[in-house]
Amino acid sequence: MNSIKSVPARVLSRRGGHSLEAEREQFDKSQAVSISKAINTQEAPVKEKHARRIILGTHHEKGAFTFWSYAIGLPLPSSAILSWKFCHVLHKVLRDGHPNVLQDCQRYRSNIRETGDLWGHLHDRYGQLVSIYTRLLLTKISFHTKHPEFPPGLEVSDEVLEKTAGTDVNNIFQLTVELFDYLDCELKLSESVFRQLNTSMAVSQMSAVQCRLAPLIQVIQDCSHLYHYAVKLMFKLHSCLPADTLQGHRDRFHEQFRSLKNFFKKASDMLYFKRLIQIPRLPESPPNFLRASALAEHVKPVVVIPEEAPEDEEPENLIEISTASTTEPQVTSDIFEQTFGPPNGVRDDRDAQIESLKKEVDMLRAEMEKIKLEAQRYITQLKAQVNSLEGEVEEQRKQKQKALVDNEQLRDELERLQRAKQDSDRSQRLCAEAEKKANATEIRYTKLKEKHSELINTHAELLRKNADTAKQLTVTQQSQEEVARVKEQLAFQVEQVKREAEMKLEDQSVQMEQLRQELDARRDELDQAQRSLSHAKQAGVELSAQVEALHAEKEVLRRSVSEKECELLSTRGLIEEKELQRSQEVDKATKEICELQDRLLEKSNQEQSLQQKLLDEQFGILQETVREAEDILRDAVAKLDDPLHVRCTSSPDYLLSRAQAALESTDALENGHAQYVASMAADAAGLVGALVLFAHLMADTIVNGSATSHLAPTDHADRLMETCRDCGQRSLDYLGELKDKQKLGHAKLEDVRQALRGVLQLAQELRPKSLDIKQEELGDMVEKEMASTSEAIEDAVRRIEEMMSQARNESSGVKLEVNERILNSCTDLMKAIRLLVMTSTNLQKEIVESGRGAATTQEFYAKNSRWTEGLISASKAVGWGATQLVESADRVVLHTGKYEELIVCSHEIAASTAQLVAASKVKAEKSSRNLARLQECSRNVNEMAANVVASTKSGQEQIEEKDTMDFSGMSLIKLKKEEMETQVKVLELEKRLEGERVRLGELRKQHYGLAGAYEAVEEGEAKPAPAPRRGILKKPPLAQKPSLGEPERDAGP
């Protein structure tokens, strides 16, 4: 088939119209002869050469138009054998014909279905087989039309299978079901054929038996591929879903495995199949899907079709008369020898030769069987080796990818360290200048200080002089007037000196304050310069990236223009060819269009009548459901005034749960109503189911509301009765609107929801209030901490949604795509964390209920204070990690943060959730379902965190363009010099990287040491029944990560 190619346009242009018509006529004639010889009423298998010619014809005309133009004219209703052979040929054409054959067969589905329905109603042995075969062909056409990735020959690689299945569990589930249905149809045909052969005790060498067995060759080829794909998808499903959910799939697969193994065994025992096909052997037992490692033991079954010797063409009448006349005596002599035997002495030699030849043939057959068995064993061994080598290659590919990712991370870190080094050098220069200025101010300050000390010394000398003069006055009183005058002068001088000293001190203090202000101003200027420099750098990097992106886009556009020009030239040639073909197909198309239009009108009329009938039936079902719902609600409202219902009581908590369930059912009812109103031709099953559920839940709410009012105070009881009555009336009004076709589209549930909210509010008021606790106990704090963590996660989800809308408004193109991918992965991570926290809360309640015995919950928490504190710490860590992730995502979207922050936050969240799971597993039972769900949630969180890391790295690679290095203009010596300098830089950066890793290790050691010291202090201060310390229960702020190494603080004043 690969040798068949289309005729070039230039050759067609040289030929005249007469040659084209002659070729077409010859092709049609050969196809008609092949179809008539392949599909006939003789009970014999279809000859391979005729089927091969038909298949080659589909490749010649790139479709099955000619085949169907002749096949439609076959009298299929007149002969079951003719219909059976038609199905066989159509199966071979679908498998080995041109890919466009599938589209042509899709147009004639109705003809195939009519043939199968006709023979299915008749009690004919071939007719029953034709009915089953047509169902198989219709299933095959539908499957390959829906999944074009699978060719009709079903030969695809495992990579295409993985890509087609995708990562969505629902798609994998649906594809597995469709493969099971496909395989069921194949196996049903084989079972029907063998059942008829067993009843007739047929021999496979008979032509009538071979007529039935011939199509099973294609069935064996299809089944081998379908079995392999089903095994692959089942293992993939078991890796995504729990085993209990897939119990039905496993049972169905085991049944198909037994049928397929029995089919292969029966076929391999028949001589007819041994010379035409090599049937694979299935394992003794089906694969164990509960063990993931069993996938490596699976061996794909391979069907081998041996190369056939070319069949001789049908003999033509080319024998001359003279030759025929000379052969007549020889023929008569052969007849004489067959009748009376050869002369004496010849017969024995021939018998001996025949016996020896028979023995040799038997020996050769035995040896051939042994060789076949050994070849099949070698093939299986080689396949196993190929599978193992493919696994090793895949593992090496993953390791290579991981090494590339690590290399890219190291390069990014080296670039970041280089930029940090440059920034640190600039900051060091600015700091040196500031230090010089500070040194100058210090020198001025020391000088002023020295002057101040000199003034103090002079002041002390003057004081000593004053003391001396006072002594002289006591000794000599003769010159009192002079001494008094001197004393006043000295006092004046002392006062003057004091004032001068004080003025100088004030000046010095003012100068010192000015110098400090100048120093602060210089520091602020330095900070501003650093910030402006960083902004300028970032702007330069963005501009360079934009310029490079524009250059790349320009180059891509230039290449695309050149490619489009080439494609335009090639398409022109194809257009010229297709114009010639279309001119030939116009006549046939016009005839078919007229016939199809008539059929289309008939079918459209039938569809309209059926559609109207379906609408009327659906509306009738809806009306019956509405009437039933009205009866249920009226019965519930009637119980409000029923005196026999007075003895019935209920609790506010149960009423609260019933009302909440009824309120939630209104959402499903509203969705079903909206879907039904949006398309009146849609199925009303969703609306009917939601309506039944709503009626029962609303009636349950009304009845329990009445029962709750019997134990409530008078005021609350009256209000609750009126609210329940209002609920019933509004629900009946809504159901009345659903009964009217004109009001059906305008029916609203807001009044019903408002009444239900009133019931919820009254039930909440009637719930018993808990006792006031002066000091918060540890158990209450655990629940509060888990609740606050849930609120923090919900707040994080809300902030991510706000960031998503803001990013859509402010960015576009690649940045918008990257931001949406990152924020979507963050949203999925938050949802997974929220589910994990809820599951942890349920497991905690289960642990408390199973472990407290006769003690209260608070006593259980007080007894296990260390475990409780671990839960609180883990919950704090999860809440803090979620907040940090949101803030990092916000900074990345605003282009003020780094992608590495998101990666670190994702790892931190995975570690925090692991801490929470470990804290919850300490006292949980191994057989607990909540524990299994918690572990599943933890694995889901790890997967979501990995998705965040992957989306962040891909976004970072997508946004940060790499500079292309051009060394074309450099000489050999310069290249060598650049190489040496680059090696020096690499060694320096590796040394710095090693130092930073050592520093990170020391920081972690210090963190772990502080955590251990903190726990040791707690164990030393512990008492037999300690009261919970409030410093541990204090929730840290959202921007601060809780750490065991921090000192305890009292939460109260």
Side-chain angles (χ1 to χ4, degrees):
M1 288 185 282
N2 295 330
S3 63
I4 298 175
K5 299 181 180 178
S6 60
V7 181
R10 61 179 180 271
V11 178
L12 292 175
S13 63
R14 292 177 184 175
R15 298 178 182 177
H18 177 72
S19 61
L20 289 174
E21 292 178 358
E23 286 183 2
R24 181 65 189 180
E25 185 177 355
Q26 181 65 25
F27 174 74
D28 291 343
K29 183 178 179 181
S30 63
Q31 288 292 299
V33 170
S34 299
I35 292 171
S36 61
K37 289 182 177 180
I39 306 174
N40 51 38
T41 57
Q42 295 179 3
E43 194 173 4
V46 177
K47 288 189 177 181
E48 187 65 26
K49 61 182 180 181
H50 302 319
R52 189 183 301 114
R53 288 173 184 170
I54 298 171
I55 293 169
L56 292 175
T58 61
H59 286 277
H60 178 73
E61 67 172 356
K62 297 181 176 60
F65 178 79
T66 303
F67 171 76
W68 278 107
S69 63
Y70 288 109
I72 290 175
L74 294 173
L76 299 179
S78 62
S79 173
I81 298 176
L82 190 70
S83 301
W84 174 253
K85 287 190 173 184
F86 164 74
C87 293
H88 183 194
V89 174
L90 180 58
H91 196 174
K92 294 177 73 69
V93 169
L94 276 172
R95 279 190 54 85
D96 303 328
H98 193 272
N100 293 335
V101 170
L102 184 64
Q103 299 177 0
D104 295 335
C105 294
Q106 180 70 19
R107 303 189 187 100
Y108 295 95
R109 287 173 56 89
S110 59
N111 300 81
I112 300 172
R113 185 182 294 107
E114 289 173 0
T115 303
D117 294 341
L118 171 66
W119 289 107
H121 295 303
L122 300 176
H123 296 288
D124 183 82
R125 305 192 71 182
Y126 269 104
Q128 298 297 323
L129 295 178
V130 169
S131 176
I132 298 172
Y133 209 162
T134 53
R135 284 199 292 272
L136 170 59
L137 293 174
L138 292 174
T139 304
K140 187 178 185 68
I141 294 171
S142 301
F143 179 82
H144 294 292
T145 305
K146 184 177 180 182
H147 302 286
E149 299 85 359
F150 291 91
L154 287 170
E155 292 183 1
V156 296
S157 60
D158 293 342
E159 290 79 7
V160 176
L161 179 64
E162 292 288 336
K163 184 178 179 181
T164 304
T167 57
D168 189 1
V169 180
N170 296 323
N171 294 339
I172 303 171
F173 195 92
Q174 183 62 29
L175 182 59
T176 308
V177 173
E178 292 174 0
L179 285 175
F180 284 164
D181 295 340
Y182 198 165
L183 188 57
D184 280 338
C185 294
E186 302 272 3
L187 293 173
K188 188 174 182 181
L189 177 62
S190 64
E191 290 173 358
S192 301
V193 171
F194 281 123
R195 191 183 303 115
Q196 288 192 8
L197 295 179
N198 290 336
T199 55
S200 61
M201 300 297 290
V203 181
S204 63
Q205 298 301 320
M206 297 172 63
S207 60
V209 176
Q210 292 179 359
C211 183
R212 291 186 176 90
L213 293 177
L216 297 187
I217 296 175
Q218 284 73 41
V219 174
I220 292 171
Q221 292 175 326
D222 290 346
C223 288
S224 64
H225 294 295
L226 292 173
Y227 168 75
H228 175 63
Y229 302 150
V231 171
K232 288 281 188 181
L233 292 178
M234 283 291 288
F235 274 109
K236 192 167 186 179
L237 274 178
H238 280 77
S239 65
C240 302
L241 295 175
D244 296 339
T245 307
L246 300 173
Q247 182 63 42
H249 273 50
R250 287 198 300 275
D251 295 341
R252 188 175 181 183
F253 178 83
H254 291 163
E255 184 178 355
Q256 289 182 347
F257 177 82
R258 288 190 294 270
S259 300
L260 184 61
K261 187 174 179 63
N262 190 21
F263 169 40
F264 282 2
K265 186 176 182 302
K266 288 181 180 179
S268 60
D269 293 338
M270 289 188 173
L271 295 176
Y272 174 72
F273 290 111
K274 287 184 179 180
R275 66 181 181 86
L276 296 177
I277 187 171
Q278 184 176 347
I279 303 172
R281 290 186 179 181
L282 296 181
E284 294 298 328
S285 59
N288 186 7
F289 299 113
L290 302 179
R291 184 168 56 89
S293 60
L295 179 59
E297 303 172 1
H298 168 67
V299 179
K300 180 181 178 180
V302 178
V303 177
V304 180
I305 302 293
E307 296 184 358
E308 297 181 358
E311 298 181 7
D312 296 333
E313 300 293 335
E314 294 185 358
E316 298 181 0
N317 192 10
L318 299 177
I319 303 173
E320 296 182 357
I321 299 173
S322 61
T323 306
S325 62
T326 57
T327 55
E328 287 179 0
Q330 184 178 358
V331 172
T332 56
S333 63
D334 291 339
I335 295 172
F336 179 79
E337 288 180 358
Q338 289 177 2
T339 307
F340 299 100
N344 295 329
V346 180
R347 186 177 182 86
D348 297 335
D349 296 337
R350 287 185 178 180
D351 292 339
Q353 290 177 1
I354 289 171
E355 290 177 357
S356 63
L357 290 174
K358 284 182 179 180
K359 292 179 181 179
E360 290 179 0
V361 167
D362 294 335
M363 292 172 62
L364 290 174
R365 282 179 181 175
E367 291 180 359
M368 187 174 66
E369 291 294 330
K370 291 181 181 179
I371 292 170
K372 283 184 179 180
L373 292 174
E374 291 178 358
Q376 189 169 5
R377 186 170 66 254
Y378 290 151
I379 288 170
T380 55
Q381 291 176 359
L382 290 174
K383 286 179 182 178
Q385 292 178 3
V386 167
N387 292 331
S388 63
L389 290 174
E390 287 179 353
E392 292 177 0
V393 169
E394 186 66 23
E395 186 176 359
Q396 291 178 0
R397 190 183 295 114
K398 290 180 181 178
Q399 291 178 358
K400 179 182 177 182
Q401 190 68 22
K402 185 178 180 183
L404 291 174
V405 172
D406 294 339
N407 192 9
E408 291 296 330
Q409 290 179 355
L410 290 174
R411 287 181 181 175
D412 295 338
E413 193 168 356
L414 287 175
E415 292 176 358
R416 183 175 59 80
L417 291 173
Q418 287 179 354
R419 292 194 295 270
K421 182 180 178 182
Q422 294 174 0
D423 296 338
S424 63
D425 293 338
R426 292 191 185 91
S427 61
Q428 285 177 2
R429 286 197 297 271
L430 295 173
C431 289
E433 293 177 359
E435 286 179 358
K436 289 179 181 179
K437 292 181 180 180
N439 291 330
T441 53
E442 287 180 358
I443 292 169
R444 291 176 61 187
Y445 175 73
T446 53
K447 290 180 179 180
L448 291 173
K449 191 174 181 181
E450 289 176 357
K451 290 182 180 180
H452 181 261
S453 61
E454 290 177 359
L455 290 174
I456 291 173
N457 293 330
T458 54
H459 180 62
E461 290 178 359
L462 291 174
L463 290 175
R464 284 194 297 273
K465 289 180 181 180
N466 189 9
D468 294 337
T469 53
K471 289 179 181 179
Q472 290 176 3
L473 284 174
T474 56
V475 176
T476 59
Q477 295 179 356
Q478 296 176 359
S479 56
Q480 291 182 356
E481 294 178 359
E482 294 179 1
V483 171
R485 222 172 17 255
V486 172
K487 186 177 181 181
E488 289 176 357
Q489 291 177 0
L490 290 173
F492 178 76
Q493 289 178 359
V494 169
E495 292 294 332
Q496 189 175 0
V497 170
K498 285 182 179 180
R499 285 196 297 272
E500 289 177 357
E502 289 175 358
M503 290 174 66
K504 288 181 179 179
L505 286 172
E506 290 177 357
D507 294 337
Q508 290 175 359
S509 63
V510 170
Q511 289 178 0
M512 289 295 293
E513 188 66 28
Q514 290 177 356
L515 289 173
R516 288 175 183 172
Q517 292 177 357
E518 288 178 0
L519 183 60
D520 295 335
R522 295 293 181 185
R523 288 176 179 171
D524 294 336
E525 290 176 359
L526 179 61
D527 295 336
Q528 290 179 0
Q530 289 179 353
R531 286 195 295 271
S532 63
L533 182 61
S534 63
H535 289 306
K537 279 184 179 180
Q538 188 175 2
V541 171
E542 291 178 356
L543 288 174
S544 63
Q546 291 177 0
V547 170
E548 290 174 359
L550 290 174
H551 283 302
E553 289 179 359
K554 182 179 178 182
E555 187 66 25
V556 170
L557 290 174
R558 187 180 299 165
R559 292 176 183 172
S560 63
V561 167
S562 62
E563 291 176 358
K564 294 295 182 183
E565 289 177 354
C566 296
E567 291 178 359
L568 182 61
L569 293 175
S570 62
T571 51
R572 285 177 181 174
L574 293 173
I575 288 170
E576 292 177 358
E577 285 184 18
K578 290 184 178 180
E579 285 179 353
L580 293 174
Q581 294 178 358
R582 288 179 182 174
S583 62
Q584 297 174 359
E585 295 176 356
V586 167
D587 298 334
K588 294 181 180 180
T590 51
K591 296 178 182 178
E592 290 184 356
I593 288 171
C594 296
E595 295 177 359
L596 291 173
Q597 284 179 351
D598 296 337
R599 293 181 181 179
L600 184 62
L601 289 174
E602 293 177 1
K603 289 186 177 180
S604 62
N605 295 330
Q606 293 177 359
E607 288 179 357
Q608 289 178 0
S609 61
L610 291 173
Q611 188 70 21
Q612 186 61 36
K613 184 178 179 182
L614 179 63
L615 288 175
D616 295 339
E617 290 178 355
Q618 287 184 355
F619 189 73
I621 293 171
L622 180 61
Q623 296 306 309
E624 292 294 331
T625 307
V626 169
R627 282 194 287 272
E628 187 68 25
E630 286 180 344
D631 294 339
I632 293 171
L633 291 174
R634 287 194 185 97
D635 181 65
V637 172
K639 289 183 180 179
L640 295 175
D641 300 325
D642 190 358
L644 298 176
H645 191 256
V646 176
R647 294 180 177 272
C648 297
T649 58
S650 180
S651 64
D653 291 331
Y654 187 70
L655 174 60
L656 195 65
S657 64
R658 293 292 87 198
Q660 186 65 36
L663 186 61
E664 292 174 356
S665 68
T666 57
D667 296 333
L669 180 59
E670 189 173 13
N671 293 334
H673 177 259
Q675 292 176 2
Y676 182 74
V677 171
S679 176
M680 295 298 288
D683 190 7
L687 179 58
V688 170
L691 195 60
V692 172
L693 179 62
F694 168 74
H696 284 285
L697 291 175
M698 181 60 74
D700 198 8
T701 302
I702 294 170
V703 172
N704 283 283
S706 174
T708 305
S709 66
H710 297 157
L711 298 177
T714 305
D715 187 15
H716 287 81
D718 294 340
R719 288 167 55 196
L720 184 58
M721 290 287 286
E722 290 299 325
T723 306
C724 292
R725 200 182 305 277
D726 189 20
C727 280
Q729 186 59 42
R730 292 185 181 183
S731 301
L732 291 172
D733 294 340
Y734 174 73
L735 294 176
E737 292 178 355
L738 292 181
K739 292 172 68 175
D740 191 356
K741 275 191 176 182
Q742 296 179 355
K743 296 181 181 180
L744 179 61
H746 304 288
K748 300 294 181 183
L749 278 168
E750 289 301 325
D751 295 338
V752 179
R753 286 174 177 161
Q754 186 176 359
L756 282 172
R757 291 191 187 100
V759 174
L760 284 171
Q761 183 177 0
L762 289 173
Q764 191 69 32
E765 292 177 0
L766 290 173
R767 292 182 67 188
K769 304 297 186 295
S770 58
L771 298 176
D772 295 333
I773 302 173
K774 295 181 180 180
Q775 185 179 2
E776 294 177 341
E777 293 183 353
L778 194 60
D780 297 332
M781 287 306 296
V782 172
E783 297 176 357
K784 290 181 180 179
E785 193 60 40
M786 298 297 284
S788 62
T789 302
S790 300
E791 292 175 0
I793 293 170
E794 291 175 358
D795 184 65
V797 173
R798 184 170 61 256
R799 287 182 61 189
I800 289 173
E801 292 176 354
E802 293 174 359
M803 285 189 283
M804 180 76 77
S805 61
Q806 183 179 0
R808 288 173 179 168
N809 295 330
E810 295 179 359
S811 59
S812 62
V814 178
K815 292 183 179 180
L816 176 59
E817 180 183 355
V818 171
N819 292 336
E820 285 184 346
R821 195 186 311 138
I822 292 173
L823 292 177
N824 286 330
S825 61
C826 291
T827 304
D828 295 337
L829 179 57
M830 291 298 107
K831 292 179 180 178
I833 293 172
R834 180 170 57 187
L835 182 60
L836 182 136
V837 171
M838 294 171 60
T839 309
S840 177
T841 304
N842 295 332
L843 179 60
Q844 173 195 341
K845 293 179 180 178
E846 179 182 347
I847 292 169
V848 172
E849 290 298 328
S850 62
R852 67 186 179 88
T856 61
T857 304
Q858 287 74 13
E859 291 175 354
F860 178 83
Y861 281 121
K863 182 179 179 182
N864 301 277
S865 59
R866 291 298 301 280
W867 174 70
T868 306
E869 291 170 3
L871 280 177
I872 294 171
S873 176
S875 178
K876 287 180 181 179
V878 172
W880 178 84
T883 307
Q884 285 298 106
L885 180 67
V886 173
E887 292 178 357
S888 299
D890 191 5
R891 288 195 294 271
V892 168
V893 171
L894 297 177
H895 307 291
T896 59
K898 298 179 181 178
Y899 290 94
E900 288 78 9
E901 295 178 3
L902 270 177
I903 296 173
V904 173
C905 288
S906 301
H907 292 317
E908 191 64 27
I909 284 177
S912 301
T913 52
Q915 180 184 357
L916 182 60
V917 172
S920 301
K921 284 174 61 179
V922 171
K923 293 188 176 297
E925 295 180 359
K926 293 183 179 180
S927 60
S928 175
R929 292 185 178 178
N930 288 324
L931 178 59
R933 295 193 193 100
L934 183 63
Q935 292 173 346
E936 184 67 24
C937 292
S938 177
R939 288 192 290 271
N940 191 16
V941 169
N942 291 332
E943 292 178 359
M944 294 300 107
N947 289 338
V948 172
V949 174
S951 60
T952 303
K953 288 182 179 178
S954 63
Q956 185 179 10
E957 292 174 358
Q958 194 171 359
I959 289 179
E960 296 179 356
E961 295 290 338
K962 300 295 184 299
D963 296 332
T964 57
M965 294 178 286
D966 186 11
F967 305 116
S968 59
M970 299 177 69
S971 63
L972 180 61
I973 297 174
K974 196 170 183 180
L975 282 171
K976 189 64 177 179
K977 184 180 179 181
E978 289 290 331
E979 181 182 357
M980 293 177 66
E981 291 177 356
T982 305
Q983 288 180 357
V984 171
K985 289 181 182 178
V986 168
L987 291 174
E988 291 176 355
L989 291 173
E990 286 178 351
K991 185 176 180 181
R992 290 192 61 186
L993 178 62
E994 188 66 22
E996 292 295 331
R997 284 178 174 168
V998 172
R999 185 170 180 270
L1000 177 61
E1002 292 297 330
L1003 287 172
R1004 287 178 175 170
K1005 287 181 181 178
Q1006 186 68 16
H1007 178 267
Y1008 295 151
L1010 290 175
Y1014 178 79
E1015 291 180 357
V1017 169
E1018 284 187 349
E1019 290 176 0
E1021 294 177 358
K1023 295 181 180 180
R1029 289 175 288 183
R1030 301 179 65 190
I1032 298 174
L1033 305 180
K1034 181 180 178 182
K1035 183 178 180 64
L1038 293 177
Q1040 179 184 0
K1041 179 181 177 182
S1043 176
L1044 293 176
E1046 296 178 357
E1048 296 181 358
R1049 301 185 185 92
D1050 191 3

